[in-house]
Every structure is written in C-alpha cells, then in structure tokens.
C-alpha cells in the first residue's frame, strides 16, 4: 500500500508557533505533542488518520481546546486539529445549518444570528461546537429547545476500522443510526473525527435576561429559593446560579427567558422577594446581546483550573446546602465556586436511552471549580474539588462527560449510566481496534479496562 503523507498546516517543536499550537485552555497537566496538524480540508483529516495508523503514532483529535483534562492533547504523538475548518452555512428555507467541526460557539452564534436563527448551546464563545455537541451541550436555551445534541440532524465523520484506509461516513437517523445515537452524548474523541455537523435551527429575535445578586448572609435562603423555582418554572426560562466563596461574598442567579421582560419580572417574584438582593436587573435585549451577557470573559487565555461536576435529581435538603456552604467558607482561593444550571423541560422529554446522553431526569447539572495562578496552589485546589465531590455524592449522581475528571474512579458509569454497554457495542462496531483512545475513552466491548 502506498505510504500516506501528512497534509495541512504542520507544526512541530522546532517551529516558533509550537508553544501556542500545543497549549490548551487548561495550563495544568500540560502535554507536548510531536506534531500538530491543522487540517484545512477533509482530505487532510483522512491523511492524518491514515498516517498515524501507518506510523503507529498515538494521536488525539482537537477543535476548541477546552477539554478539562486535556484529552485533546498527547505527549509525543500527533494532534489532529480541525479548528481551521470552521465554515457555518445556514439554510433558512429548511431551517438547518451545516457547521464545520472547527467552528467555536462565538462564530456559530454570530452567523446564525445574522440569519435570525440559533441553536441551544453553551455560553463560552471559545468552546468548540463539536466537543460540546458530542457530549450533550447545555446552555441558556436548554429547557426550551433541549441539549445541543438533541438538535443534531447529521454528523459527518472520518472513521477507521483498523484495516485498510480511513473513510468518510455520515451518521443520521437512517444511516449508521447506532453511531448517530452514540454521537449524541457519548463524548468527543471516541469513534472518529467529526468533520461537520448539521443542526435543526430555531428562529430567534428578542429575549429577556436577568441577574440577581445576594450577599453571603442570604446563602441558604437564596439557594433554596432558586433550586425550587428554577427547576419548576416556565420552560422558556433556563437559569443558572453561581455560589461564590465566602470571601467573594456573592450569590449570583442569572437566566434567559424567551418572552417579554414584564412576564419574566412576574415569574421571578419567588427570587426577587427572597432575602435582600443587592442588585436586580431584568431587561429585554436582542438575542445576540444575551449571548454576550452569558459569555465568560476568560476567552482564550489559558489558566490553571480544576473542574468536576455531577447531576442532581431531587431538590437538595438543608443538610446538603449546609455542606456546600461549609466548603465555600473554606476555599483555597477566592475564585473557587459551585455553579449550577437548571434542566428539565425539553431535556427531560427525551428518554435516557433515546440518545447516549443518559441523565435526562436530572433537574440540575452542577460544576465544582477552582482556578489558581501558581503551580504550587494546585494540590489544595484539586483537593477542595475532590473532597466536595465526594462529600456531596450522597445527594448527587454521575458526572457530565463534558466536564471530565480524571480522579473519578468509576468514570464509565459516572458519564454514561445505563447507556455504557450500548456505547461499548457501538465502539466495537466503528473502532474495533481502539485506535481512538485516551485515559477516559469508551473501551470497545471486547476490551478489558
Ligand atoms: C470555559 C469553559 C466553558 C464551558 N461552557 C460549557 C457550556 O456552557 N455548556 C456545556 O455543555 N459545556 C461547556 N463546557 C464544556 C465543553 O462542552 C467541553 O469542554 C467540550 O468537550 C469542549 O470541546 P472543544 O472542542 O472546545 O475542546 P477540545 O479540547 O478540542 O475537545 C474536547 C473533546 O472532544 C474531542 N474532539 C474535538 N474535536 C473533535 C472532532 N472533530 N471529532 C471528534 N472528537 C473531537 C477531543 O478529542 C476531546 O476529547 C465548557 C468548558 C470550558 C473550559
């Protein structure tokens, strides 16, 4: 068989741009790949996979660089980066959009908005739409329009069965439907290299947004009011709450309502009438302004961070709220926090086995996070996250695969619950030799792990 050549923009450790090219959004747990290939077209992706196979070279697939555990990087191997393939094309007649796998959410939202449309997706603009969609995709329109993956119509991937050359296939409800099922919640990097995704889009114009801030004294009352309100209210309203450290002294609830501000104000009464909010803001804005409002300002600047998370199926009792409070009273730094988003609505309408995303019955998804500036702060910061996770586990279930945590011992069940076995069968079908593997990749059914 003829030897394959790597094509595309190739970066190696001798190049000046190597440092930028190898660095992901997380500075801890760094990796040093031998080659990074920035694919420009599908042929480059095919060549990269064939080349890795022929040269027996470990490889990883990358797009938006936001994997919490740097699973899109590998020491001494090849990184197949699709971020320079990022065209977004909207078909307003059929209300669909074809998005190349390298597009980030910022680009996706902007191009869709220019066409009066959107998809429900995440909040931070530099996150890759592909990594987000393959793991589920939660955001400010989840309760109204479901997860990002619920709006997927088709995925195009480069796959390899380990024999012969890699090929491009489509997965949708009719073709490779088992793979399509797995691509909706099974997580990135497991089955093949996605080159483009086709979504159903929704018309959007003005929306209403809110922000309510309380101080530490209102911790228990504000959180309890939010959890009861946010998970039961009108499904046009999705909201989040950030429980910051005692030092930071802020509890911030925010959300987006697809409807008028007057109605939102009325709906929010259970929150605005709780405790003594120090700030209440409710306004109607063009949708794209809401997108910017929820975008986190950290952008592409890498920092040290540790994140983990879990799902909540029932309203937390007082005892659990006091656990969160006591951890937030004793944080390794001021920026450590707990963040939660309400689910239910359209997310819950789909059954847990209808797509690979399992935790359909959860009312809240939550993230525990710590960010720090110097490497020596790492140990304490990680310990805080892991101890909180373990102490709260009595009241929580699983973890969202898009917030992977390398310290979770039973990670396959934590990410996939009752869908694990079927995912392993799909893996055996499309990647029987486990070419696509990383520390928490789905093992094919015949593999021991
Ligand atoms: C600051 C921040 C904000 C976030 N906000 C949200 C949010 O609002 N909602 C939410 O649901 N999640 C959110 N996340 C989590 C995010 O969805 C995941 O980190 C996601 O995996 C990132 O995808 P990526 O393409 O940016 O990252 P990458 O690191 O490039 O990839 C992530 C995973 O996908 C795989 N992958 C990448 N490209 C491809 C491809 N072309 N084909 C197949 N597999 C591929 C990688 O191998 C890796 O396993 C956030 C994360 C961060 C760091």
């Amino acid at each position: 068989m003829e030897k394959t050549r790597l094509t595309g923009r190739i970066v190696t450790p001798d190049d000046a741009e190597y440092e930028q090219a190898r660095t992901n959004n997380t500075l801890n747990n760094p990796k040093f790949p031998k080659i990074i290939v920035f694919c420009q077209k599908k042929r480059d992706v095919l060549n990269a996979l064939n080349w890795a196979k022929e040269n027996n070279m470990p490889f990883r697939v990358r797009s938006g660089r936001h994997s919490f555990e740097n699973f899109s990087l590998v020491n001494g191997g090849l990184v197949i980066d699709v971020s320079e393939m990022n065209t977004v094309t909207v078909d307003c007649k059929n209300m669909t959009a074809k998005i190349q796998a390298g597009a980030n959410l910022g680009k996706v939202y902007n191009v869709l908005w220019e066409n009066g449309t959107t998809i429900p997706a995440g909040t931070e603009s530099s996150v890759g739409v592909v990594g987000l969609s393959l793991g589920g995709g939660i955001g400010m329109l989840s309760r109204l329009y479901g997860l990002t993956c619920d709006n997927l119509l088709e995925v195009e991937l480069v796959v390899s069965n380990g024999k012969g050359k890699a090929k491009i296939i489509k997965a949708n409800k009719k073709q490779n439907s088992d793979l399509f099922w797995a691509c909706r919640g099974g997580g990135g990097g497991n089955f093949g290299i996605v080159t483009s995704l086709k979504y159903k889009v929704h018309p959007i114009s003005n929306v209403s947004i809110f922000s309510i801030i309380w101080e530490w004294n209102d911790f228990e009352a504000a959180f309890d009011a939010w959890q009861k309100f946010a998970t039961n209210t009108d499904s046009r309203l999705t909201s989040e709450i950030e429980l910051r450290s005692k030092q930071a002294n802020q509890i911030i609830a925010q959300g987006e309502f697809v409807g008028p501000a007057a109605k939102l104000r009325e709906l929010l009464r259970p929150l605005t009438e709780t405790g003594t909010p120090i700030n209440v803001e409710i306004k109607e804005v063009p949708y794209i302004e809401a997108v910017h409002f929820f975008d986190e300002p950290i952008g592409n600047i890498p920092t040290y961070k540790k994140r983990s998370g879990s799902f909540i199926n029932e309203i937390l009792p007082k005892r659990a709220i006091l656990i969160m409070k006591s951890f937030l009273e004793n944080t390794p730094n001021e920026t450590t926090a707990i963040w939660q988003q309400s689910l239910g609505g359209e997310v819950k309408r789909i059954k847990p086995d209808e797509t690979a995303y399992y935790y359909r019955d959860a009312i809240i998804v939550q993230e525990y996070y710590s960010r720090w500036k110097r490497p020596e702060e790492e140990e304490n910061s990680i310990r805080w996250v892991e101890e909180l996770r373990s102490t709260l586990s009595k009241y929580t279930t699983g973890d969202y695969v898009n917030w992977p945590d390398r310290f979770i011992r039973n990670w396959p069940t934590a990410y996939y619950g009752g869908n694990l076995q079927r995912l392993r069968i799909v893996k055996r079908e499309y990647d029987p030799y486990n070419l696509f593997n990383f520390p928490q990749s789905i093992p094919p059914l015949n593999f021991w792990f």
Side-chain angles (χ1 to χ4, degrees):
M1 219 168 4
E2 204 184 314
K3 285 260 180 198
T4 308
R5 262 182 351 104
L6 268 185
T7 54
R9 184 166 74 86
I10 293 162
V11 179
T12 66
D14 296 334
D15 295 315
E17 60 268 42
Y18 177 75
E19 197 52 26
Q20 198 284 331
R22 75 154 192 89
T23 309
N24 268 9
N25 182 270
T26 296
L27 282 179
N28 38 318
N29 196 11
K31 300 276 186 292
F32 298 87
K34 198 167 183 181
I35 306 174
I36 300 157
V37 58
F38 289 90
C39 301
Q40 312 293 316
K41 47 187 190 293
K42 289 186 231 178
R43 171 47 56 193
D44 299 337
V45 180
L46 281 161
N47 287 344
L49 185 52
N50 284 327
W51 185 89
K53 223 168 53 165
E54 287 164 22
N55 291 281
N56 222 357
M57 168 91 65
F59 69 90
R60 295 287 166 78
V61 191
R62 188 174 70 172
S63 180
R65 306 190 184 193
H66 278 67
S67 168
F68 285 1
E69 294 290 7
N70 276 339
F71 291 151
S72 48
L73 287 176
V74 62
N75 277 327
L78 171 70
V79 172
I80 305 173
D81 187 300
V82 299
S83 62
E84 291 175 6
M85 296 166 61
N86 55 33
T87 308
V88 179
T89 316
V90 186
D91 175 351
C92 287
K93 192 160 156 254
N94 293 305
M95 290 303 276
T96 61
K98 188 165 177 191
I99 302 179
Q100 283 191 306
N104 65 23
L105 295 184
K107 176 155 189 184
V108 170
Y109 282 133
N110 280 327
V111 178
L112 296 190
W113 170 247
E114 283 160 15
N115 291 275
T117 65
T118 195
I119 53 171
T123 48
E124 218 263 342
S125 53
S126 58
V127 168
V129 72
V130 66
L132 178 109
S133 302
L134 294 175
I138 58 160
M140 285 299 119
L141 292 175
S142 297
R143 298 184 81 243
L144 179 61
Y145 294 132
L147 302 171
T148 317
C149 72
D150 300 338
N151 292 267
L152 261 179
L153 299 172
E154 185 171 277
V155 180
E156 185 186 78
L157 309 94
V158 170
V159 291
S160 169
N161 65 4
K163 302 171 188 157
K165 295 272 184 188
K167 60 178 182 179
I168 300 180
I169 62 167
K170 285 186 172 157
N172 52 44
K173 282 205 167 143
K174 291 197 176 126
Q175 287 167 276
N176 299 301
S177 56
D178 47 354
L179 180 58
F180 186 55
W181 173 88
C183 285
R184 288 174 290 158
N190 277 302
F191 302 100
I193 307 167
V194 174
T195 49
S196 69
L197 310 105
K198 187 175 167 189
Y199 299 87
K200 167 173 81 186
V201 297
H202 301 267
I204 198 103
S205 53
N206 275 9
V207 296
S208 300
I209 55 176
F210 79 89
S211 175
I212 304 173
I213 306 178
W214 295 268
E215 287 184 316
W216 184 258
N217 285 344
D218 281 327
F219 184 94
E220 284 150 77
F223 175 74
D224 200 38
W226 177 82
Q227 66 164 348
K228 288 173 180 156
F229 159 79
T231 55
N232 278 308
T233 188
D234 190 318
S235 62
R236 289 174 294 167
L237 172 55
T238 303
S239 63
E240 59 183 27
I241 192 162
E242 189 176 10
L243 307 168
R244 295 196 171 165
S245 65
K246 186 177 180 187
Q247 283 166 279
N249 193 26
Q250 281 191 330
I251 291 108
I252 309 174
Q254 296 185 324
E256 183 170 318
F257 176 62
V258 182
K263 176 70 183 165
L264 177 59
R265 189 174 297 277
E266 188 189 313
L267 287 170
L268 286 172
R269 230 175 256 146
L271 293 190
T272 50
E273 289 175 1
T274 293
T276 318
I278 56 164
N279 186 53
V280 175
E281 200 183 335
I282 302 170
K283 58 182 178 185
E284 191 170 322
V285 292
Y287 171 71
I288 199 68
E289 274 185 37
V291 167
H292 298 151
F293 178 80
F294 293 108
D295 193 0
E296 290 173 43
I298 55 165
N300 276 320
I301 303 159
T303 52
Y304 293 96
K305 50 176 99 83
K306 174 68 191 169
R307 295 173 185 234
S308 189
S310 64
F311 293 94
I312 298 173
N313 280 351
E314 282 168 27
I315 294 298
L316 290 178
K318 184 155 187 197
R319 204 179 277 212
I321 300 174
L322 290 178
I323 292 175
M324 298 196 297
K325 190 177 177 193
S326 98
F327 269 84
L328 289 165
E329 273 165 345
N330 297 291
T331 56
N333 56 51
E334 195 178 321
T335 53
T336 299
I338 300 172
W339 178 92
Q340 301 190 345
Q341 190 200 299
S342 59
L343 295 172
E346 192 60 19
V347 179
K348 196 172 178 166
R349 200 189 52 75
I350 294 173
K351 294 195 188 72
D353 62 356
E354 252 181 85
T355 68
Y357 178 92
Y358 179 70
Y359 294 96
R360 295 282 175 181
D361 293 332
I363 56 171
I364 289 171
V365 59
Q366 67 174 338
E367 185 181 27
Y368 321 121
Y369 72 83
S370 181
R371 227 178 269 159
W372 62 97
K373 292 202 178 96
R374 290 166 295 132
E376 53 273 26
E377 294 174 60
E378 176 169 314
E379 200 181 323
N380 276 349
S381 303
I382 292 182
R383 190 184 311 122
W384 186 91
V385 169
E386 293 306 321
E387 283 179 1
L388 172 61
R389 179 183 169 74
S390 139
T391 315
L392 263 191
S393 63
K394 200 170 148 197
Y395 306 96
T396 64
T397 181
D399 181 25
Y400 177 34
V401 65
N402 273 354
W403 300 340
D405 176 352
R406 68 197 144 105
F407 296 108
I408 300 179
R409 287 176 65 191
N410 63 342
W411 58 267
T413 325
Y415 300 154
Y416 306 118
N419 286 335
L420 175 65
Q421 186 76 350
R422 184 165 169 201
L423 278 163
R424 296 189 65 194
I425 293 170
V426 178
K427 175 78 171 176
R428 183 180 60 182
E429 170 85 20
Y430 291 90
D431 182 21
Y433 294 100
N434 204 20
L435 293 178
F436 288 86
N437 73 81
F438 55 91
Q440 292 187 341
S441 56
I442 297 167
L445 192 61
N446 46 324
F447 272 60
W448 182 86
F449 73 101

